[in-house]
Amino acid sequence: MKNVRVWFEKQGSVRYISHLDLTRCMSRGLKLSGLPVWYTEGFNPRIYMTYAMPLSLGVCGERECMDIRLTEDRPLDQLAEAINAHLPQDLRVLDATEPVDPFESIQWGVYEIQLETQDPDGLEQQLGALLAREEILVLKHTKKGEKEFDIKPDFSSVQWTRENGGLRLSLRLPCSMNGSTNPALLLDALKRYEGAKPYCSITRKQLLTKDFSELR
Amino acid sequence: MMRQDKKLEHALQKVQKPGRYVGGELNAVVKDPSQVEVRFAFCFPDTYEIGMSHLGIKILYSAFNEVPYFWCERVFAPWVDMEEEMRRENIPLYGLESGDPVNQFDFIGFTLQYELSYTNVLNMLELAGIPLRSADRPDLFNIVVGGGPCACNPEPLADFFDIFFLGDGEEVDMEVMELYRQCKKEGKSKTEFLEQAAQIEGVYVPAFYDVSYNPDGTVKEYVPTHGAPKTVKKRVIRDMNKAYYPKDFVVPLIDVVHNRISEEVLRGCIRGCRFCQAGFLYRPYREKSIETIDRQCRDLCHSTGYDEISLSSLSTSDYARLNELIDTLHQWTEGEKVSLSLPSLRVDNFSPQLMERINSVRKSGLTFAPEAGSQRMRDVINKNVTEEELMRTVNVAFTEGWTRIKLYFMIGLPTETMEDVLAIDELGQKVVDAFYQNKEKPKGKGVEVSLSAAAFVPKPFTPFQWFGQDTMETLQEKQYALKGGVHSRKISVSYHGAQTSFLEAVFARGDRRLCVVMEKAREMGLRFDGWDDCFHFDKWMEAFQACGLDPAFYANRHREFDEVFPWDHLDYGVKKEFFIEECKRAYQNMTTPNCREQCSHCGAACYGGGICVEKRASVV
């Protein structure tokens, strides 16, 4: 039995599907690939897959990963091709590696947010004003109802550039098994404090461990 | 992936389940528009999740796309939140493969599965920016066509469609597309195209029939024009082994209602239940061979990655060599971790042996459809199931460990009395009693019996097509009685839809005058009538009133045998005399043997296929 880390990107139409639907897609792709994947041994055997950090619906992922197990050795450089032949176009396996870091060591997600607007100057001002606040409170839905939550500490790393008439933000957010911050909260805050409702597209570029090194 | 502009992307950010609207699935067919000659928008007038569960669209989608110069795309009804965004942002209805607006397609084809989806048909045309009425589309382009079970009486939609396909679509649809391609090349007009199309068996061009009415509102006669045939005969695929079947299915990205392989094992039904329209429309009964089914299942497993196959049909347990079929499939399905399921079980051929072979049936619940509570009532509807059989079956189920039994019934059936209605409760009680008397029942568990009662809707091409539906008041009385007749906490009763059933009855047996009501309803914003949260009965009544038509005339009026029906010029093989005979037998509580036991000479033998000819061969 061998653990294998499969790296993939989720974009285009596939970004609009939930994590559960993603696992179904992957499972069918793995089944069709003919790879000797290991099945769980429960009453309803299923292909063993464990994902690093599920992506929110609508968010693209440039380098996501999941671990599977192979019951026989296979050259890892041939895995991507074998699986890709059976995946929808916008879900692509990039490569497969031997896992180094456990998923528990993931601490950060690196994101890019593309904001569209008719008025980039205005939006830039609004964004600056928002991030200059002492605290940035947003409403979060919890099991006990709605709760106010200060996202200022999490969003201190935001940087942006002007691009194609809009803004491109890059930021690093907590993203771990103990809890993650959804990048879309920044949009909620922009709406709440500045009344701005720009269209946005969000991409997770990569996952980082505690010491800010790339997950391997 | 389909083309997506900014407007659409913005809309997708705001709606629930955006995965419905983006295409990009495995096995979706994308072609180069400059290389195709005929583009077909296959429209399913309900949500993505419902439409992607439908087998017919899968068969025709693949069949069309197999021809290099045809390109068929899928279109579903946007849910209300998406519709709102589309209207606000001026996004026209589009095909999921290319993202191109539907009004750029040569054919706009609808599958008509259910009367309450008709408003979605009109709403989708409207969202596509296509004129609703056939007469307002003079060019040889945007040809609106329809097929499916409701095409057997398409009159309430007659003014909107150019063509209806009657019967099996696999061949006739493509013949018409081919004809269109030729007419286009030769620069023919739309009328010339339709005149030629009307000569093809299975093609009904409603505009070529003039209808006149009697003073009492009933149909006087249909007069064909433009050389169209006096009666239009449905098309039948004689040999199911030679029928086209896809080697792959589009595999949806999001979960849908039936997210598995459907393998059609047979078409038609031997039973002849008198309430069931499908049982008559799809005659003759035709099975596929074990070899065909086995090969098709393998192909589909290897192209989709699904781990479940549903052996589908109107009544799969009637497949003559079912055990042999399942054994054949098991030779490879178990190794490939694929499970088999049957969509429907009959009370009279449920066995532990069968259940062992079908491992995907969950132990939690079993569903059967006795359809009526009393034996007399079951004889009237020709549901040839006895109480003894039901009791034997539930006892087998209890012994095998099931504790939840769901039973489906209809109320409002012809000749039904309150006694028959209450017999449903009594039957439920007998099932509960059987559980406690069963010595091998699962230990430490109670039994749960749920009784579900739908309101009967009389349909064309059935022996009950003359029957005036119970009024909504009568149906409600029966529902209350049913609810009140239960004296055990182990039994739950549910019933639904006197109002939706009423509307269904209106459109099932309606005529062309209802087209204006459909139009009015669309204008009033009605759609998704089959969904409780979108169904507005009061608005519908307003629409009827505004058009000066009485819905009760269509739903509740009893018809005489000599009345001319709006569907009498459509021929599904089964003769009207047979339905009259069956109707008379029903009122005398007399049953009719199924097709396998004995031929009752319904008329479907004219197609020379399936059980009609097999039986003759065995007699000789």
Side-chain angles (χ1 to χ4, degrees):
Chain A
M1 190 91 68
K2 192 175 168 186
N3 277 312
V4 176
R5 188 155 291 174
V6 178
W7 300 87
F8 62 91
E9 62 176 355
K10 185 187 181 207
Q11 51 165 11
S13 57
V14 175
R15 99 179 98 138
Y16 294 109
I17 71 173
S18 68
H19 183 65
L20 183 62
D21 290 328
L22 173 78
T23 61
R24 288 194 191 100
C25 267
M26 275 293 185
S27 169
R28 289 188 294 257
L30 286 169
K31 187 178 164 78
L32 286 174
S33 72
L35 291 166
V37 289
W38 183 72
Y39 280 75
T40 60
E41 284 161 343
F43 185 71
N44 289 312
R46 42 180 84 237
I47 295 176
Y48 173 85
M49 288 179 290
T50 172
Y51 287 79
M53 285 292 151
L55 274 175
S56 306
L57 193 133
V59 177
C60 295
E62 278 187 6
R63 197 165 170 79
E64 299 295 308
C65 69
M66 64 166 179
D67 285 357
I68 59 169
R69 288 176 187 163
L70 296 183
T71 56
E72 293 161 36
D73 256 345
R74 282 289 187 278
L76 292 185
D77 56 355
Q78 289 168 20
L79 250 60
E81 202 184 332
I83 305 169
N84 278 338
H86 308 284
L87 289 181
Q89 266 302 307
D90 293 335
L91 182 61
R92 292 289 95 183
V93 171
L94 305 166
D95 53 2
T97 58
E98 281 185 40
V100 178
D101 306 311
F103 288 157
E104 290 78 26
S105 68
I106 301 170
Q107 202 68 47
W108 306 101
V110 178
Y111 294 89
E112 186 177 285
I113 303 179
Q114 200 83 43
L115 295 181
E116 284 170 45
T117 174
Q118 306 285 351
D119 173 20
D121 291 332
L123 184 63
E124 203 169 351
Q125 249 173 27
Q126 289 173 316
L127 185 64
L130 176 73
L131 292 170
R133 301 183 77 89
E134 296 260 307
E135 56 174 16
I136 306 173
L137 297 175
V138 292
L139 284 176
K140 264 178 99 169
H141 302 277
T142 66
K143 281 173 193 158
K144 289 177 186 163
E146 292 201 329
K147 206 179 139 188
E148 282 211 322
F149 184 79
D150 183 13
I151 59 167
K152 167 83 183 183
D154 290 345
F155 284 86
S156 55
S157 72
V158 179
Q159 292 182 324
W160 70 86
T161 54
R162 289 274 284 266
E163 203 182 86
N164 304 331
L167 301 184
R168 189 173 71 181
L169 282 57
S170 48
L171 59 161
R172 193 176 62 218
L173 292 173
C175 182
S176 78
M177 288 181 170
N178 299 322
S180 304
T181 302
N182 188 340
L185 289 175
L186 185 66
L187 278 302
D188 294 352
L190 259 180
K191 186 176 164 193
R192 187 173 189 196
Y193 287 97
E194 303 290 333
K197 289 189 279 184
Y199 285 108
C200 74
S201 65
I202 306 175
T203 303
R204 184 154 75 197
K205 311 285 283 183
Q206 56 179 187
L207 293 165
L208 304 179
T209 60
K210 274 190 274 301
D211 53 2
F212 306 111
S213 64
E214 203 177 322
L215 179 74
R216 286 171 302 157
Chain B
M1 187 194 155
M2 56 175 248
R3 213 171 325 125
Q4 269 183 27
D5 65 359
K6 281 282 171 226
K7 279 198 295 192
L8 179 56
E9 245 175 67
H10 297 164
L12 291 174
Q13 287 186 12
K14 295 188 187 165
V15 299
Q16 297 283 311
K17 300 191 193 170
R20 289 165 163 172
Y21 311 111
V22 295
E25 305 94 330
L26 182 69
N27 300 330
V29 180
V30 178
K31 297 190 180 185
D32 176 354
S34 68
Q35 299 299 308
V36 295
E37 294 172 54
V38 181
R39 293 184 68 176
F40 193 108
F42 201 122
C43 303
F44 194 98
D46 210 311
T47 63
Y48 181 87
E49 289 93 324
I50 309 272
M52 284 300 288
S53 305
H54 182 249
L55 180 57
I57 186 170
K58 293 173 201 270
I59 296 176
L60 296 175
Y61 177 83
S62 296
F64 296 175
N65 279 323
E66 205 129 294
V67 181
Y69 47 82
F70 294 159
W71 186 13
C72 175
E73 300 189 35
R74 295 158 301 141
V75 185
F76 302 93
W79 185 244
V80 293
D81 58 348
M82 184 62 172
E83 181 188 340
E84 199 185 316
E85 293 301 322
M86 289 170 76
R87 288 190 186 279
R88 182 178 28 234
E89 299 291 331
N90 275 316
I91 302 169
L93 192 69
Y94 56 89
L96 280 186
E97 278 72 6
S98 65
D100 290 339
V102 167
N103 64 7
Q104 294 178 12
F105 286 67
D106 300 285
F107 283 93
I108 294 98
F110 287 93
T111 175
L112 306 171
Q113 297 291 318
Y114 179 42
E115 291 80 2
L116 297 190
S117 69
Y118 289 177
T119 45
N120 278 7
V121 171
L122 295 197
N123 200 38
M124 285 171 81
L125 284 175
E126 212 270 339
L127 279 169
I130 294 172
L132 299 189
R133 288 184 171 263
S134 166
D136 296 332
R137 301 184 302 262
D139 302 331
L140 185 57
F141 191 58
N142 285 172
I143 304 295
V144 177
V145 301
C150 293
C152 76
N153 177 30
E155 297 306 285
L157 293 172
D159 293 350
F160 313 113
F161 280 70
D162 300 307
I163 288 174
F164 292 105
F165 297 117
L166 312 189
D168 299 333
E170 286 99 330
E171 295 170 351
V172 62
D173 294 18
M174 295 217 281
E175 287 167 22
V176 168
M177 286 161 78
E178 195 64 60
L179 175 68
Y180 172 91
R181 180 171 166 250
Q182 292 307 326
C183 287
K184 202 92 205 174
K185 276 184 188 159
E186 292 161 17
K188 295 243 167 76
S189 70
K190 178 176 171 180
T191 307
E192 286 170 308
F193 159 70
L194 290 175
E195 280 169 353
Q196 286 187 40
Q199 301 304 317
I200 300 173
E201 187 173 276
V203 173
Y204 171 43
V205 180
F208 291 170
Y209 295 80
D210 290 337
V211 195
S212 53
Y213 299 90
N214 295 310
D216 66 1
T218 57
V219 171
K220 182 156 182 275
E221 61 175 344
Y222 271 71
V223 179
T225 64
H226 293 73
K230 190 149 177 51
T231 58
V232 182
K233 206 172 168 198
K234 79 158 172 178
R235 259 316 251 284
V236 164
I237 304 281
R238 202 182 298 170
D239 182 354
M240 288 304 290
N241 291 309
K242 293 184 183 139
Y244 177 84
Y245 208 71
K247 289 195 171 59
D248 60 23
F249 286 169
V250 177
V251 183
L253 294 174
I254 60 171
D255 201 19
V256 298
V257 181
H258 296 297
N259 208 0
R260 59 183 79 99
I261 291 167
S262 298
E263 169 64 16
E264 184 186 24
V265 297
L266 61 91
R267 200 170 283 181
C269 183
I270 56 171
R271 297 289 166 173
C273 300
R274 291 176 182 134
F275 57 86
C276 177
Q277 187 185 43
F280 295 104
L281 287 186
Y282 293 100
R283 287 186 177 203
Y285 176 86
R286 294 147 286 163
E287 292 187 351
K288 283 182 189 168
S289 71
I290 290 179
E291 295 69 38
T292 304
I293 296 168
D294 186 59
R295 178 176 33 95
Q296 292 176 347
C297 286
R298 281 175 199 260
D299 285 345
L300 286 168
C301 277
H302 298 156
S303 63
T304 61
Y306 275 129
D307 55 9
E308 185 181 347
I309 301 170
S310 169
L311 301 174
S312 16
S313 73
L314 291 174
S315 182
T316 300
S317 49
D318 284 331
Y319 187 80
R321 297 189 291 161
L322 185 60
N323 287 337
E324 201 185 321
L325 169 66
I326 291 171
D327 287 343
T328 305
L329 293 172
H330 269 181
Q331 285 171 13
W332 58 273
T333 52
E334 283 178 348
E336 297 192 13
K337 297 191 172 62
V338 171
S339 65
L340 302 176
S341 63
L342 301 183
S344 57
L345 293 167
R346 271 187 69 86
V347 171
D348 50 1
N349 49 19
F350 173 87
S351 70
Q353 292 80 10
L354 182 61
M355 284 305 95
E356 256 166 49
R357 290 178 157 96
I358 303 293
N359 48 13
S360 70
V361 176
R362 306 240 177 264
K363 283 270 168 190
S364 53
L366 269 182
T367 304
F368 296 102
E371 311 289 4
S374 68
Q375 192 59 50
R376 187 197 73 80
M377 200 70 255
R378 284 195 296 272
D379 289 345
V380 168
I381 62 176
N382 204 39
K383 183 89 189 178
N384 288 314
V385 163
T386 63
E387 193 172 303
E388 291 73 50
E389 283 167 328
L390 178 67
M391 288 305 138
R392 187 183 55 79
T393 292
V394 295
N395 268 308
V396 169
F398 294 147
T399 306
E400 295 287 314
W402 274 280
T403 57
R404 271 167 51 193
I405 304 282
K406 191 168 188 181
L407 300 175
Y408 281 142
F409 298 93
M410 280 181 289
I411 53 172
L413 289 162
T415 77
E416 184 180 66
T417 62
M418 211 44 112
E419 213 173 300
D420 294 311
V421 174
L422 292 172
I424 295 174
D425 291 330
E426 286 158 28
L427 197 61
Q429 188 58 49
K430 284 176 190 163
V431 174
V432 172
D433 296 344
F435 179 81
Y436 288 106
Q437 283 156 19
N438 188 314
K439 292 191 176 64
E440 294 160 86
K441 65 173 179 286
K443 300 278 178 292
K445 279 189 185 168
V447 65
E448 285 174 56
V449 177
S450 49
L451 309 174
S452 172
F456 170 63
V457 179
K459 300 256 165 139
F461 295 100
T462 67
F464 295 151
Q465 59 184 345
W466 292 274
F467 176 70
Q469 188 186 38
D470 275 4
T471 60
M472 284 181 282
E473 292 72 31
T474 307
L475 285 171
Q476 272 151 10
E477 263 172 50
K478 288 179 176 176
Q479 288 170 344
Y480 293 143
L482 189 66
K483 195 97 183 169
V486 169
H487 306 292
S488 163
R489 288 168 59 196
K490 306 291 178 192
I491 302 175
S492 62
V493 173
S494 62
Y495 48 80
H496 40 81
Q499 291 180 335
T500 47
S501 303
F502 173 72
L503 209 59
E504 213 181 309
V506 172
F507 290 110
R509 293 184 295 173
D511 58 38
R512 269 183 205 195
R513 289 169 299 183
L514 290 173
C515 291
V516 290
V517 182
M518 296 295 318
E519 230 167 9
K520 183 77 190 161
R522 219 266 354 123
E523 275 167 33
M524 292 167 73
L526 292 170
R527 73 270 189 265
F528 283 110
D529 298 302
W531 296 72
D532 282 347
D533 36 347
C534 293
F535 183 65
H536 303 289
F537 189 68
D538 297 346
K539 279 196 184 175
W540 268 108
M541 293 307 106
E542 246 177 76
F544 280 107
Q545 208 162 18
C547 300
L549 284 166
D550 176 14
F553 173 81
Y554 298 100
N556 306 122
R557 184 175 57 88
H558 171 80
R559 281 91 160 152
E560 298 300 331
F561 284 141
D562 60 2
E563 179 171 331
V564 176
F565 287 141
W567 57 90
D568 273 352
H569 59 302
L570 308 180
D571 177 5
Y572 275 71
V574 182
K575 295 189 296 273
K576 199 171 185 179
E577 300 81 68
F578 173 78
F579 288 131
I580 292 175
E581 185 59 29
E582 276 292 288
C583 184
K584 289 177 179 162
R585 289 172 73 90
Y587 282 84
Q588 294 161 22
N589 305 345
M590 279 168 73
T591 62
T592 296
N594 72 47
C595 296
R596 197 167 268 150
E597 291 165 341
Q598 189 196 313
C599 177
S600 301
H601 306 285
C602 69
C606 66
Y607 287 103
I611 202 159
C612 306
V613 290
E614 281 157 28
K615 216 165 49 181
R616 273 188 211 112
S618 69
V619 167
V620 173

